[in-house]
Amino acid sequence: DPNVLIKNNRLKLSFLERLNFAKNPVTRRLLQVMCDKKTTLCVAADVTSTTDLLNLAEQTGPHICLFKTHIDIVEDFHPNFLKHLKEIAERHNFIIFEDRKFADIGNTVQLQYSKSMYQISSWANLVTAHSVMGKGILEGIQQSEGLKDRGVFLLAEASCAGSLTDQSYVDATLKLAKQYPDLITGIVCQNPLLLEEPGVIQLTPGVHLESVGDRLAQQYNSPETVVLEKGADVAVVGRAITKSADPAAEAVKYKEVLWAAYEKRIASQ
Amino acid sequence: DPNVLIKNNRLKLSFLERLNFAKNPVTRRLLQVMCDKKTTLCVAADVTSTTDLLNLAEQTGPHICLFKTHIDIVEDFHPNFLKHLKEIAERHNFIIFEDRKFADIGNTVQLQYSKSMYQISSWANLVTAHSVMGKGILEGIQQSEGLKDRGVFLLAEASCAGSLTDQSYVDATLKLAKQYPDLITGIVCQNPLLLEEPGVIQLTPGVHLESVGDRLAQQYNSPETVVLEKGADVAVVGRAITKSADPAAEAVKYKEVLWAAYEKRIASQ
């Protein structure tokens, strides 16, 4: 029914309106955090020491909804460090999001998610997964021990040049996501997919106030572009904040421009 | 030229004949190890303790060409453990192969490969990578610090049910692999691809003497099937060996049936 599609168009609804459509518990909490803090900013904490990671969480915490880690680039990892990260997350009301990009068979993913030095399932409410290996990954995550409230961002499109995510790949990814409504928090993509799914979050990486690239094929878009044209709900900002002399000020800058773009988007009917 | 294609058909050449075609240094060493030890067996060491991992390396070492690890499922990892693993690898003449399945943007892969607790690039001559994110991953691996002799197995097809590796994905993966002849050791796939590339190794997982599956969508083929029909050069055997009461005896059994299938393959003209 096209009327329902238009009525429930994700891009035209407020985050508060969309909260009731969400079937995954972390999605609901995320939407609430976004509304409460007026932020759609996810900081990509691509730093290699626990001190830098905790400092970044403390500095950007008041201005973000998601704190995205790559725990497997940290050089001085120790389980105790996670206590501090969780304490900061609770105090500043953001969600910890391990960008693991699971991409193995279900049995291995289950071990990578819940075992190992990292025990990701015990501290990260959100993780990323690739769809390339099929449903085994989602089954593996679903059947693992760990936090009761868990959600997955499934990667449908990549922000880097030369990725293999063509239309059939994207379609198959969305089909897979729809089979796991209780587990899927959202889709990582560069274009407004899943318009008829207001309860699913679009996460878009590769966001930078200056549209440039890096020497390893990464490509960037401006915050306004990703929210108004590309359909991003949550925008991932990495090096623009982490390499800044003042990460807190930079986070505020991104938060404000992203939120203004979101308000503009839902206001235009 | 179809005559050249037939003449250089990977499936009809011996590993020794193929050695001269290999452009990657680890491929050359791997082919030599395979010839010297008469084995095409890669054991998938999916165990979660360093003791179990070292015991398995010691027990299966004489019978394998590759020892495939998931370092990020090990619960008591310590850098010192790697010294022991390297010592066993040298003594039994096998290559250490970290099945990391890199699947992020180049900048992150570079950190995951050469930094972190694991410093994979300093001890694993071989790693796996997904092609889904494009060339950034291969650039990231190529430009990292670490061992001079390094090779990548690129995943073109998966052994699990419902994977998204359709023909266009496979074609794009092979095209990517051909752009990095010095870095690519081989292709992970389930069918005889790259027939005209005798210098590239086909690695095939999901091998089991009894064709069964697991509860997380993994599917298995017999050793003869993977070598004679599916085109495998190196076969990955996991739980059939690691869960066995006598891993060494089981490794010998797989080694022999795999090698016999290889000899049968090159003998049939």
Side-chain angles (χ1 to χ4, degrees):
Chain A
D1 182 346
N3 288 322
V4 173
L5 176 59
I6 290 161
K7 187 165 168 271
N8 292 342
N9 182 336
R10 173 173 67 81
L11 300 179
K12 296 301 173 195
L13 295 174
S14 74
F15 295 133
L16 206 56
E17 290 170 308
R18 289 170 57 185
L19 209 148
N20 296 318
F21 292 93
K23 295 191 178 76
N24 172 265
V26 189
T27 315
R28 286 196 293 275
R29 186 168 160 229
L30 172 57
L31 285 164
Q32 193 63 58
V33 168
M34 289 158 72
C35 293
D36 291 350
K37 295 173 72 177
K38 291 191 194 303
T39 180
T40 60
L41 177 61
C42 169
V43 68
D46 295 343
V47 293
T48 55
S49 86
T50 53
T51 306
D52 288 349
L53 204 62
L54 294 175
N55 282 342
L56 190 67
E58 193 67 78
Q59 289 164 321
T60 62
H63 316 297
I64 62 175
C65 57
L66 296 180
F67 188 74
K68 185 169 86 61
T69 56
H70 282 298
I71 200 67
D72 65 343
I73 67 172
V74 173
E75 305 205 270
D76 59 345
F77 174 82
H78 190 278
N80 279 348
F81 138 81
L82 295 169
K83 286 184 205 164
H84 298 290
L85 182 60
K86 281 191 274 191
E87 185 276 320
I88 296 170
E90 276 171 37
R91 186 153 39 83
H92 289 311
N93 192 28
F94 62 77
I95 298 171
I96 304 173
F97 171 27
E98 166 58 22
D99 190 8
R100 176 57 180 77
K101 294 190 172 66
F102 289 111
D104 212 305
I105 63 170
N107 186 64
T108 302
V109 167
Q110 202 165 41
L111 294 169
Q112 292 170 327
Y113 177 58
S114 61
K115 304 282 179 183
S116 95
M117 297 283 285
Y118 299 136
Q119 299 194 0
I120 294 168
S121 68
S122 72
W123 54 270
N125 286 105
L126 288 171
V127 294
T128 45
H130 277 291
S131 53
V132 61
M133 303 291 272
K135 68 173 186 172
I137 290 178
L138 297 178
E139 291 288 332
I141 292 172
Q142 202 163 45
Q143 294 174 30
S144 294
E145 289 176 6
L147 298 172
K148 191 172 154 286
D149 287 356
R150 62 184 72 173
V152 174
F153 277 104
L154 203 58
L155 277 94
E157 292 178 322
S159 55
C160 48
S163 79
L164 270 54
T165 54
D166 61 12
Q167 193 56 49
S168 79
Y169 188 94
V170 170
D171 292 344
T173 303
L174 299 184
K175 196 177 155 194
L176 181 64
K178 286 177 186 175
Q179 290 169 37
Y180 293 83
D182 297 341
L183 185 62
I184 295 294
T185 291
I187 302 292
V188 180
C189 59
Q190 300 290 318
N191 290 291
L193 311 172
L194 279 176
L195 287 182
E196 77 283 23
E197 299 278 355
V200 178
I201 304 290
Q202 176 175 334
L203 183 87
T204 301
V207 179
H208 202 298
L209 279 163
E210 289 143 35
S211 296
V212 285
D214 73 1
R215 65 189 172 81
L216 293 172
Q218 175 66 311
Q219 301 172 136
Y220 292 108
N221 283 304
S222 77
E224 294 87 351
T225 304
V226 297
V227 173
L228 293 168
E229 294 172 33
K230 308 288 187 182
D233 294 320
V234 176
V236 182
V237 181
R239 283 166 267 181
I241 290 174
T242 59
K243 303 274 189 201
S244 161
D246 189 347
E250 204 67 18
V252 170
K253 201 193 291 181
Y254 275 90
K255 172 183 76 168
E256 288 178 351
V257 66
L258 284 164
W259 192 259
Y262 154 70
E263 291 197 317
K264 189 172 170 187
R265 185 175 85 188
I266 59 169
S268 67
Q269 292 299 336
Chain B
D1 181 346
N3 289 321
V4 173
L5 176 58
I6 291 160
K7 187 164 167 270
N8 293 342
N9 182 336
R10 173 174 67 80
L11 300 179
K12 297 300 173 195
L13 295 176
S14 73
F15 295 134
L16 206 57
E17 289 170 309
R18 289 169 58 184
L19 208 148
N20 296 318
F21 292 92
K23 295 191 179 73
N24 171 266
V26 189
T27 314
R28 286 197 294 274
R29 187 171 157 226
L30 173 57
L31 285 164
Q32 192 64 58
V33 168
M34 289 157 72
C35 294
D36 291 349
K37 296 173 71 176
K38 292 190 191 305
T39 180
T40 60
L41 176 62
C42 168
V43 69
D46 295 345
V47 293
T48 56
S49 86
T50 53
T51 306
D52 288 349
L53 204 62
L54 295 176
N55 283 342
L56 190 67
E58 194 67 76
Q59 290 165 320
T60 62
H63 316 297
I64 61 175
C65 56
L66 296 180
F67 189 73
K68 185 169 88 61
T69 57
H70 283 297
I71 200 68
D72 65 342
I73 68 171
V74 173
E75 304 204 272
D76 59 344
F77 173 83
H78 190 278
N80 279 348
F81 138 81
L82 295 169
K83 286 183 204 163
H84 298 291
L85 182 60
K86 280 191 275 191
E87 186 275 321
I88 297 172
E90 276 170 38
R91 185 153 39 83
H92 289 310
N93 193 28
F94 62 78
I95 299 171
I96 305 173
F97 170 28
E98 166 57 24
D99 189 9
R100 177 55 181 76
K101 292 190 172 66
F102 289 111
D104 212 306
I105 63 171
N107 186 63
T108 301
V109 167
Q110 202 164 41
L111 295 169
Q112 292 170 327
Y113 178 59
S114 61
K115 305 280 178 184
S116 93
M117 299 283 286
Y118 300 136
Q119 300 194 3
I120 294 168
S121 68
S122 73
W123 54 269
N125 286 105
L126 289 170
V127 294
T128 45
H130 278 291
S131 53
V132 60
M133 304 292 271
K135 67 173 185 172
I137 290 179
L138 297 179
E139 290 288 333
I141 292 171
Q142 201 162 46
Q143 294 175 29
S144 293
E145 291 176 5
L147 299 172
K148 191 173 155 286
D149 286 356
R150 61 184 72 174
V152 174
F153 276 104
L154 204 58
L155 277 94
E157 292 177 321
S159 56
C160 48
S163 79
L164 271 55
T165 54
D166 61 12
Q167 194 56 50
S168 80
Y169 187 95
V170 170
D171 292 345
T173 303
L174 299 184
K175 196 177 156 193
L176 181 64
K178 286 177 185 174
Q179 289 169 37
Y180 293 83
D182 297 340
L183 185 62
I184 295 294
T185 291
I187 302 292
V188 182
C189 59
Q190 300 291 317
N191 290 291
L193 312 171
L194 278 176
L195 288 182
E196 77 283 24
E197 297 280 354
V200 178
I201 304 290
Q202 175 176 332
L203 183 86
T204 301
V207 178
H208 203 299
L209 280 163
E210 289 141 37
S211 295
V212 286
D214 73 1
R215 64 189 173 78
L216 292 172
Q218 175 67 311
Q219 301 172 136
Y220 292 109
N221 282 303
S222 76
E224 294 87 351
T225 304
V226 296
V227 174
L228 293 169
E229 294 172 32
K230 307 289 186 181
D233 295 320
V234 176
V236 182
V237 181
R239 283 167 267 180
I241 290 174
T242 60
K243 303 275 189 200
S244 161
D246 189 346
E250 204 67 18
V252 170
K253 199 193 292 180
Y254 275 90
K255 173 183 75 170
E256 289 178 351
V257 68
L258 285 164
W259 193 258
Y262 154 70
E263 291 197 316
K264 188 173 170 185
R265 186 175 85 187
I266 58 168
S268 67
Q269 292 299 335

